[in-house]
Amino acid sequence: MKNPDSQPSVAEPVTERAYRSPAGIAGGVLLLVMAVWLGSDAVINGDARTRWLAVGALLFLVPLVVAFTLRPAVYADENRLRVRNPFRVITLPWASVSGVRAHYSSEVFTEGGDKYQLWAIPVSIRARKKASRRPSGRKSIGVFGPVAEEPGVRKAPGDQSLDEIRALAEERADKPASQGAPSVRWAWEIVVPVVVGAVLVGVVLVVG
């Protein structure tokens, strides 16, 4: 009979939570539709100079709209926090996270003293005020339905997301798979088209 200890261990599945801004995505889609509509009309019906200006403007504006609306996201799994901001991707193993804060913007701090904004989790003062006016609680069920409610405090969606991230950081910081240093990667797929579009618009305006 085989020894159970000799059997290869099965890796624990790592789940990933994604945090994004629905309002930002909706606004980004609307802006992209408008930009493509106006830009394509200029390319089709404009003269040569107008067409080049439209192409340059689209190369400049479309990546920027994507960067600030559709791209931002925060991914949290059992080992690390991955922050996808407009122009950078920051990977933070949980051991490197020293704190998470929401004041005028959502921010994550590292043990080395660095600070990164969480663009995908906006801070809404209006949502906080709305949540504070609606206390939450759990209702106990009696024979004839709900009869009592336990007092509680309802939080804005952004604050709830930060609470989840903070809890993961505290729970997973000591795990071996959560060790390591932060890493930052620039989003060249956004930066390069923006620069090319700006240069093209500048050349067309100078040359006339």
Side-chain angles (χ1 to χ4, degrees):
M1 189 171 81
K2 293 184 178 180
N3 186 355
D5 295 335
S6 65
Q7 301 249 352
S9 60
V10 179
E12 181 182 353
V14 176
T15 58
E16 185 176 66
R17 305 178 188 181
Y19 303 92
R20 307 190 72 177
S21 172
I25 295 174
V29 170
L30 180 61
L31 289 174
L32 285 177
V33 170
M34 293 178 59
V36 172
W37 175 42
L38 295 175
S40 60
D41 180 70
V43 171
I44 294 173
N45 300 319
D47 55 21
R49 182 175 182 273
T50 301
R51 291 175 180 175
W52 282 111
L53 277 175
V55 171
L58 286 174
L59 280 174
F60 179 77
L61 292 176
V62 169
L64 283 181
V65 172
V66 172
F68 285 97
T69 59
L70 304 183
R71 176 181 170 81
V74 174
Y75 300 98
D77 61 30
E78 295 182 356
N79 300 326
R80 64 187 60 85
L81 181 71
R82 185 162 58 93
V83 181
R84 195 171 69 187
N85 281 344
F87 300 109
R88 295 187 298 178
V89 177
I90 304 103
T91 303
L92 303 170
W94 289 123
S96 67
V97 176
S98 64
V100 180
R101 184 184 70 182
H103 189 45
Y104 294 108
S105 63
S106 299
E107 300 166 336
V108 59
F109 298 85
T110 68
E111 295 290 349
D114 295 322
K115 178 180 70 175
Y116 302 101
Q117 283 189 312
L118 306 178
W119 283 78
I121 307 178
V123 174
S124 174
I125 304 300
R126 180 181 178 184
R128 283 180 174 176
K129 291 181 178 179
K130 183 178 179 181
S132 65
R133 292 194 298 265
R134 298 174 57 191
S136 65
R138 293 179 298 175
K139 294 183 177 180
S140 60
I141 306 299
V143 178
F144 301 100
V147 295
E149 183 172 325
E150 299 176 10
V153 178
R154 184 183 297 272
K155 290 189 175 182
D159 293 329
Q160 293 178 11
S161 299
L162 292 181
D163 285 346
E164 293 179 2
I165 293 173
R166 191 178 295 110
L168 275 173
E170 294 174 354
E171 176 186 349
R172 303 293 301 180
D174 296 332
K175 304 298 181 182
S178 301
Q179 308 304 308
S183 64
V184 179
R185 178 183 68 83
W186 284 93
W188 297 111
E189 65 274 15
I190 298 292
V191 175
V192 171
V194 169
V195 173
V196 171
V199 171
L200 181 56
V201 170
V203 170
V204 173
L205 292 177
V206 171
V207 173

